Amino acid sequence: MPQSSPASGEESPGAVAARLTGRAVTGGRPLSGALAEAALDDGRTVVVKRAEEAEAARAEAAGLRWLAEAGAPPVPRVHGREGAWLVLDRLAQGRPGREAALRFGRELAGLHAAGAPAFGAPPPGGPVEAFIGLAPMRNVTGDDWPSWYAEHRVLPYLRRAVDAGTTGAGEAAVVERVCARLPELAGPAEPPARLHGDLWSGNVLWGADGRVRLIDPAAHGGHRETDLAMLALFGCPLLDAVLEGYQEVAPLAEGWRERVGVHQLFPLLVHAVLFGRGYAGQALGAARSALSL
């Protein structure tokens, strides 16, 4: 989305940044197809993001504000949203380090402890019909995690994968058996946690100041082990230190390591819908692992 050559009839990122921040824009450059950087006349730099559609931008803005209310981990400030446009703080990145990882774990425990009204609860002002990445995600609430997780996080993506031919009927039956057994596989009951919701390593930014910041949430009320399982699935640096810091603040229930595959079913099936057969095979492996508990 180069600032100098927006599509015909489309507003430039610089113009959006100026309007939503109330500052003059002195320069800018594209970062990717959906992101651009804008320098403001007060010395700050912001990121201008164009979502696929307006509701995705609404969901992201609401999620960032909800996560920010918890106090930590820090997230980019939302300077404004208009239609599919978002203007956010530009984050200075650094390198992973053990002290930063420990602090991130402690702060992530605090975020989860901030809680949510119910499993599936959207952030205040966020839509029910939300998104995780480019996939739709419905924030329908429930009081019982196993049944809610099966109905609103696992089975919708399993059905899509089957309809697309990515997952076979026999493979789907294995995942369905996990859903039927979730009450016994889920471990001790937990209150709804305030989740980032799409916590893979690409959404964990190691800051130049030694703190971790989170971006691109699919925020909702859920089980805290789901965020941690996603960190493990996509290779978060220094994950052992992150978990050490987390456990210092909010020890996980016994058996949490064995339940990782249960919580990974959701992101794996989302990725199967978006990216194909390889992730469907991983989801089947996670389901079989869960059934062996």
Side-chain angles (χ1 to χ4, degrees), residues 55 61 66-67 173 202 267 281:
E55 286 297 87
W66 195 44
L67 299 186

CSV table of all heavy atoms in Angstrom, one decimal, residues 55 61 66-67 173 202 267 281:
chain,number,residue,atom,x,y,z
A,55,GLU,N,-15.2,-4.9,9.4
A,55,GLU,CA,-15.4,-5.6,10.7
A,55,GLU,C,-14.1,-6.2,11.2
A,55,GLU,O,-14.0,-6.4,12.4
A,55,GLU,CB,-16.5,-6.7,10.5
A,55,GLU,CG,-17.9,-6.1,10.4
A,55,GLU,CD,-18.3,-5.4,11.6
A,55,GLU,OE1,-18.1,-4.2,11.7
A,55,GLU,OE2,-19.0,-6.0,12.5
A,61,ALA,N,-9.3,-3.4,16.6
A,61,ALA,CA,-9.2,-2.2,17.4
A,61,ALA,C,-9.8,-2.5,18.8
A,61,ALA,O,-9.2,-2.1,19.9
A,61,ALA,CB,-9.9,-1.1,16.8
A,66,TRP,N,-9.1,-3.8,24.6
A,66,TRP,CA,-9.4,-4.7,25.7
A,66,TRP,C,-8.2,-5.2,26.4
A,66,TRP,O,-8.1,-5.3,27.6
A,66,TRP,CB,-10.3,-5.8,25.2
A,66,TRP,CG,-11.1,-6.6,26.2
A,66,TRP,CD1,-11.7,-6.1,27.3
A,66,TRP,CD2,-11.3,-8.0,26.2
A,66,TRP,NE1,-12.3,-7.2,28.0
A,66,TRP,CE2,-12.1,-8.3,27.3
A,66,TRP,CE3,-10.8,-9.0,25.3
A,66,TRP,CZ2,-12.4,-9.6,27.6
A,66,TRP,CZ3,-11.2,-10.3,25.6
A,66,TRP,CH2,-12.0,-10.6,26.7
A,67,LEU,N,-7.2,-5.6,25.6
A,67,LEU,CA,-6.0,-6.2,26.1
A,67,LEU,C,-5.2,-5.1,26.8
A,67,LEU,O,-4.6,-5.3,27.9
A,67,LEU,CB,-5.1,-6.7,25.0
A,67,LEU,CG,-5.6,-7.9,24.2
A,67,LEU,CD1,-4.6,-8.4,23.2
A,67,LEU,CD2,-6.2,-9.0,25.1
A,173,ALA,N,-13.9,-37.9,12.1
A,173,ALA,CA,-14.5,-38.7,13.1
A,173,ALA,C,-13.6,-38.8,14.4
A,173,ALA,O,-14.0,-38.8,15.5
A,173,ALA,CB,-14.8,-40.1,12.7
A,202,GLY,N,4.7,-14.8,15.4
A,202,GLY,CA,4.7,-13.6,14.6
A,202,GLY,C,3.9,-12.5,15.2
A,202,GLY,O,4.1,-11.3,14.8
A,267,PRO,N,-6.3,-23.8,16.6
A,267,PRO,CA,-5.5,-23.1,15.6
A,267,PRO,C,-5.1,-24.0,14.4
A,267,PRO,O,-5.0,-23.6,13.3
A,267,PRO,CB,-4.3,-22.7,16.4
A,267,PRO,CG,-4.2,-23.5,17.6
A,267,PRO,CD,-5.6,-23.8,17.9
A,281,GLY,N,-3.3,-32.7,8.7
A,281,GLY,CA,-2.6,-33.8,9.2
A,281,GLY,C,-2.1,-33.6,10.6
A,281,GLY,O,-2.1,-34.5,11.5
